[in-house]
Amino acid sequence: MLDNMIFKQLMKHSFTIPVEVTYPNGKTEKYGNGAPQVKIKVNEKIPVKDLLRNASITLGEAYMDKKIEVSGSLQVLINSAYESANSFLNNNKFKRFLPKQSHSEESSKNDVQSHYDLENDFYKLWLDKTMTYSCAYFEKPDDSLEEAQMNKVHHILKKLDPKPGSSLLDIGCGWGTLMLTAAREYNMNVVGITLSEEQYNAVKQRIKDEGLEDQAEVLLEDYRELDHLPFDYITSVGMFEHVGEENLGEYFNTISRYLKSNGVALIHGITRQQGGAYNGWINKYIFPGGYVPGLNENLTHIIESGMQVADIEMLRRHYQRTLEMWTDNFHKVLPEVRKMHDERFIRMWDLYLQACAASFESGNIDVIQYLISKGPSARTLPMTRDYMYKD
């Protein structure tokens, strides 16, 4: 009885939109003014002790197991919860610190492979043709996802102001679109590194297919173990979220060590302006070992590593739109996904995509590009930003 009363109070204060909640006893309550925008059906009692232990894991698993069902947009519902000061996402009574996580080279490899070594055919179903699994860049309102992903690649490379024949290291190269574009269109000599065997094999094949063996190389190894000469430029997209809070300093020190004097790096990743944070459900089911660093953390590590900041750009709304497009694509190919995965996986992945979109929409997280240089800021770069936007 007490659990039911507390859970009802939790629902009553957790949203800024009108919602309708049907409880396990069949009774329905409406919260907020106006017609419900989202309907929630609670099929089984949710123990309050589990919510207090970790609300995100408890509610995420309840959705995956159909203990909770939602009619309407998950993104709208979760964004509303982020915007409510009294929701389980913001109330200190429901926030719990996770244990310190291991980020040894072995654990990092296992963490990356658990997510990125899902079969390539799964990602091909809902990513665009570039196989780019990171925030796109929408230069025009009607850009397709593929156009926006290529916009992002060129936006990153242009920021570096790269010279033909120069060297580029891409840390966490994904399926290789950025590094191979740099080789093919900017005449750079590139090295990409990844811990995902699926990505490594795909990029190696792309290098061969595109005849870029003399300009491009991909390595299957930890970013901390690279045995190459320093590089003129470094890119790293969607990488530092995986290294762990305790290894952020080492990550930026490694970038500094791999950069030539006056070299330039573009680091693109998810950052919280409010300070670093873990998410229990995301860590357990999507990105084991993940940690979203705070803006101040990253800036401190950049400076302490002997580098300086040349430019910072926030792309939060771009990632929101990217995730919304991925969600639409994912929903369109559900018949094909069901041939690969069960319903619990599908509900998990759908929740992941929509929850992340809501988190960006609400400003709970951001994605930021850090343009940094080894030595005085932007010593080798043009004086104004105009060069970043020229064809």
Side-chain angles (χ1 to χ4, degrees):
M1 179 68 72
L2 183 61
D3 273 4
N4 289 337
M5 291 174 59
I6 295 174
F7 189 75
K8 285 185 177 182
Q9 286 298 309
L10 178 68
M11 290 292 102
K12 182 177 181 179
H13 297 290
S14 280
F15 307 105
T16 58
I17 60 170
V19 299
E20 178 182 287
V21 183
T22 301
Y23 292 98
N25 61 8
K27 291 186 177 180
T28 296
E29 300 281 354
K30 293 182 180 178
Y31 304 113
N33 298 320
Q37 292 186 29
V38 177
K39 296 181 179 180
I40 303 169
K41 187 180 180 198
V42 184
N43 295 318
E44 294 184 29
K45 184 178 74 172
I46 309 296
V48 171
K49 65 179 178 62
D50 292 343
L51 285 170
L52 290 171
R53 187 179 301 118
N54 196 302
S56 67
I57 291 177
T58 299
L59 294 175
E61 289 179 339
Y63 181 78
M64 290 163 61
D65 296 330
K66 287 193 174 182
K67 294 179 182 179
I68 294 176
E69 296 183 80
V70 175
S71 298
S73 169
L74 278 170
Q75 179 181 339
V76 168
L77 182 69
I78 296 170
N79 178 57
S80 172
Y82 276 119
E83 291 181 342
S84 171
N86 294 314
S87 80
F88 58 90
L89 293 174
N90 294 316
N91 193 315
N92 284 330
K93 289 188 295 184
F94 296 102
K95 290 182 177 180
R96 291 293 182 269
F97 291 107
L98 296 179
K100 187 175 181 180
Q101 301 177 58
S102 168
H103 281 84
S104 66
E105 292 184 13
E106 183 61 30
S107 66
S108 293
K109 181 177 180 180
N110 292 337
D111 291 346
V112 169
Q113 291 181 348
S114 71
H115 186 84
Y116 293 100
D117 275 353
L118 289 171
E119 60 274 18
N120 284 341
D121 287 344
F122 169 68
Y123 289 102
K124 286 178 181 177
L125 287 174
W126 53 274
L127 294 179
D128 65 285
K129 291 181 181 179
T130 70
M131 288 292 284
T132 305
Y133 188 31
S134 57
C135 174
Y137 184 70
F138 295 88
E139 293 181 352
K140 300 186 296 294
D142 59 349
D143 279 340
S144 68
L145 182 57
E146 182 178 353
E147 288 171 334
Q149 290 292 8
M150 289 310 303
N151 291 344
K152 186 267 300 294
V153 167
H154 288 293
H155 192 50
I156 287 173
L157 293 172
K158 286 177 182 177
K159 282 186 175 184
L160 297 175
D161 195 33
K163 304 300 185 287
S166 58
S167 57
L168 169 71
L169 170 65
D170 190 19
I171 300 176
C173 64
W175 283 277
T177 296
L178 188 152
M179 60 175 283
L180 297 184
T181 300
R184 185 178 57 250
E185 299 187 37
Y186 293 77
N187 195 25
M188 302 177 76
N189 298 306
V190 301
V191 175
I193 53 176
T194 179
L195 284 174
S196 165
E197 292 187 8
E198 289 280 340
Q199 291 179 343
Y200 168 77
N201 291 331
V203 176
K204 194 172 182 179
Q205 187 62 49
R206 286 188 67 182
I207 292 172
K208 182 179 179 181
D209 291 345
E210 297 184 31
L212 293 171
E213 293 96 331
D214 291 339
Q215 284 182 263
E217 179 183 10
V218 62
L219 304 172
L220 181 66
E221 61 182 77
D222 189 277
Y223 76 97
R224 292 166 283 197
E225 295 299 319
L226 187 63
D227 184 21
H228 276 58
L229 294 173
F231 293 82
D232 297 301
Y233 306 99
I234 293 177
T235 52
S236 186
V237 178
M239 172 67 185
F240 61 60
E241 306 94 315
H242 299 291
V243 305
E245 182 179 9
E246 72 278 14
N247 285 329
L248 275 171
E250 181 182 16
Y251 170 79
F252 285 106
N253 282 331
T254 301
I255 290 172
S256 180
R257 178 160 52 91
Y258 290 160
L259 268 182
K260 292 180 180 179
S261 179
N262 296 317
V264 180
L266 190 289
I267 311 302
H268 168 125
I270 299 172
T271 312
R272 289 190 85 241
Q273 295 200 31
Q274 306 91 326
Y278 296 96
N279 178 281
W281 183 81
I282 291 284
N283 279 77
K284 184 173 181 179
Y285 288 99
I286 307 297
F287 293 112
Y291 171 75
V292 177
L295 174 61
N296 58 331
E297 286 179 89
N298 282 342
L299 293 177
T300 297
H301 289 307
I302 289 168
I303 293 166
E304 290 180 347
S305 69
M307 298 185 291
Q308 292 192 7
V309 178
D311 191 84
I312 294 179
E313 183 175 11
M314 284 66 174
L315 299 177
R316 178 185 60 81
R317 295 169 64 192
H318 293 266
Y319 217 159
Q320 177 191 337
R321 182 176 294 186
T322 302
L323 281 153
E324 289 168 351
M325 293 178 121
W326 285 345
T327 300
D328 289 343
N329 290 348
F330 184 72
H331 288 170
K332 289 173 184 176
V333 298
L334 282 178
E336 295 302 313
V337 176
R338 288 191 173 97
K339 296 176 183 177
M340 302 178 180
H341 297 285
D342 62 19
E343 288 297 319
R344 191 172 192 264
F345 176 93
I346 289 170
R347 290 172 71 84
M348 175 190 78
W349 208 265
D350 193 23
L351 176 59
Y352 152 60
L353 292 173
Q354 294 199 58
C356 288
S359 200
F360 282 109
E361 183 178 7
S362 67
N364 178 58
I365 54 177
D366 206 330
V367 62
I368 298 177
Q369 290 188 349
Y370 305 82
L371 184 64
I372 56 184
S373 59
K374 188 172 181 178
S377 64
R379 173 182 278 173
T380 64
L381 297 176
M383 293 281 282
T384 73
R385 287 176 170 174
D386 292 349
Y387 78 98
M388 298 180 185
Y389 305 100
K390 292 179 179 177
D391 290 334

